[in-house]
Amino acid sequence: MSGFSRFTPLISALPATVPFVGPEAIERQRGLPVRARIGANESGFGPAPSVLAAIRATAGEIWKYNDPENFALKAALATHLGLAPANLVVGEGVDDLLGLVVRLVIEPGMPVVTSFGGYPTFNFHVSGFGGRLVTTPYINDREDLDGLLAAVRRENAPLVYLANPDNPMGSWWDADSVVAFARALPETTLLVLDEAYCETAPAGSTPSTAALIDLPNVLRTRTFSKAYGLAGARVGYAFGAPETVIAFDKIRNHFGMPRLSTEAALAALADQAYLKDVVSRIVAARDRISTIATANGLAPLASATNFVAIDCGRDGVHARAIVDGLMQHGVFIRMPGVAPLNRCIRVSTGLPADLDLFEEALPTVLQSL
């Protein structure tokens, strides 16, 4: 039986794919239980006890739609960041907001500049709205600011994406370099500055909130999915100039935010003591992952995120064999998707028991290759 015949030409031409294969799918496909879930950059440390208490206390309100204006969360974020609520938009994770940004700016055939091997969900949205990806290679495992700027100017691109800190390599630029890059862009180019990992980054790597707020062509995205431990709640936000942010109201899903997710985010934002503790545990876990890698003859890269990219010293085939071998032991990790980044594997920080399993399985896997 043939499928529906009147999809748009764009949809008909796109491959049937998703940016990520989840550990649940791997479990189903291979019949292997995940014992250590350290591949999706989630926080195995979980949310604060105060967050779980807030969810339990408000669970009975689940019959209500969430406030479509996200007033309370925008007000709390504004206070936290030293902004006005008009500077903020809330969405169902950064991934949702990235799709909305592409929809706001890109028409079929328009160029969009990003790094080759960078966050694949952004690319997924660009392709889904008919944009034309223009990529620049990483240099020394870091996004190339000069290369991105040159590509924007060459292509007259209306949209450019930069993650700082970076996914999948964990590298970062200092705040001054990021600000200089943003201010050098043409005013007709919108910069999406993805700061999903800013809470785990070293001091001096994230521009101050005020540093770019005067630029109407800059949107900075952040999330509660990483350090705050709320990946399953899907809460992201972006901030920028009010005249830019207000455009989201024309196309966003006004009833998209789950009510309990909003309550969870409010409680998480209020518990900065817990966030500080989790960040210290993430740093300790990064150090341990690096130690395990070095002990097995691999080369960990410096990381500003909640994961560590590990150079396996050969190519993507070898790195894939390590990923698959670890999964045979129930250890779920991931790897970058394109060469030369795919010489690496990527291990998320996790609980000591998770890293114990990684440490136990890695030498066995390497010896088998």
Side-chain angles (χ1 to χ4, degrees):
M1 179 183 295
S2 60
F4 180 68
S5 62
R6 294 190 67 178
F7 289 120
T8 66
L10 172 60
I11 295 301
S12 298
L14 289 172
T17 186
V18 294
F20 298 107
V21 177
E24 296 86 357
I26 296 173
E27 286 181 320
R28 290 189 293 269
Q29 293 165 3
R30 301 190 184 184
L32 295 170
V34 170
R35 300 167 60 207
R37 185 173 170 132
I38 48 175
N41 303 348
E42 301 152 321
S43 176
F45 305 110
S50 59
V51 172
L52 298 177
I55 293 172
R56 286 191 292 267
T58 55
E61 303 293 304
I62 196 64
W63 62 274
K64 301 177 183 177
Y65 288 115
N66 191 65
D67 173 11
E69 296 180 15
N70 297 299
F71 179 86
L73 184 53
K74 286 168 65 176
L77 285 166
T79 298
H80 178 69
L81 296 169
L83 298 173
N87 293 114
L88 286 141
V89 59
V90 173
E92 303 95 282
V94 167
D95 291 350
D96 169 65
L97 294 171
L98 292 178
L100 293 176
V101 169
V102 176
R103 186 179 168 195
L104 284 170
V105 176
I106 297 303
E107 296 181 25
M110 283 185 172
V112 178
V113 173
T114 186
S115 299
F116 184 62
Y119 189 45
T121 299
F122 177 74
N123 302 349
F124 181 75
H125 286 307
V126 171
S127 298
F129 286 104
R132 176 171 59 87
L133 283 165
V134 177
T135 60
T136 61
Y138 282 62
I139 294 181
N140 296 324
D141 298 318
R142 189 164 65 164
E143 294 195 72
D144 177 15
L145 299 184
D146 290 339
L148 290 170
L149 182 59
V152 165
R153 290 172 172 167
R154 182 182 69 247
E155 299 285 339
N156 189 25
L159 184 61
V160 60
Y161 174 87
L162 170 68
N164 191 59
D166 175 66
N167 179 12
M169 303 311 286
S171 52
W172 69 98
W173 283 94
D174 62 274
D176 289 344
S177 296
V178 173
V179 170
F181 169 75
R183 293 195 175 277
L185 289 169
E187 63 181 15
T188 53
T189 299
L190 181 67
L191 167 63
V192 176
L193 179 57
D194 189 342
E195 298 177 326
Y197 300 94
C198 65
E199 288 88 1
T200 59
S205 59
T206 302
S208 68
T209 304
L212 298 170
I213 203 66
D214 62 305
L215 296 181
N217 65 324
V218 176
L219 282 171
R220 299 167 68 176
T221 61
R222 295 185 182 180
T223 183
F224 285 86
S225 294
K226 307 303 179 185
Y228 285 104
L230 289 173
R234 311 309 301 131
V235 186
Y237 61 97
F239 58 95
E243 58 269 31
T244 302
V245 168
I246 198 171
F248 283 90
D249 281 343
K250 298 180 179 182
I251 59 170
R252 69 181 177 90
N253 181 1
H254 288 253
F255 286 103
M257 282 298 300
R259 191 175 189 90
L260 291 186
S261 295
T262 299
E263 297 292 347
L266 285 166
L269 193 64
D271 199 338
Q272 291 296 304
Y274 181 81
L275 177 67
K276 182 178 180 180
D277 177 66
V278 164
V279 169
S280 69
R281 295 166 74 183
I282 288 171
V283 171
R286 283 196 315 232
D287 290 343
R288 186 175 176 202
I289 292 168
S290 297
T291 297
I292 293 169
T294 302
N296 285 275
L298 306 179
L301 307 185
S303 174
T305 64
N306 70 343
F307 62 84
V308 178
I310 300 171
D311 190 338
C312 298
R314 288 168 56 180
D315 57 14
V317 174
H318 179 63
R320 171 54 62 189
I322 295 173
V323 170
D324 291 343
L326 286 169
M327 187 60 212
Q328 290 296 124
H329 294 265
V331 179
F332 165 69
I333 66 167
R334 282 194 173 125
M335 59 183 285
V338 301
L341 309 183
N342 65 356
R343 74 188 191 282
C344 296
I345 59 175
R346 195 194 67 198
V347 181
S348 304
T349 57
L351 296 169
D354 297 323
L355 301 189
D356 287 346
L357 289 170
F358 172 60
E359 184 173 29
E360 176 185 332
L362 182 60
T364 302
V365 170
L366 293 175
Q367 289 166 14
S368 71
L369 301 179

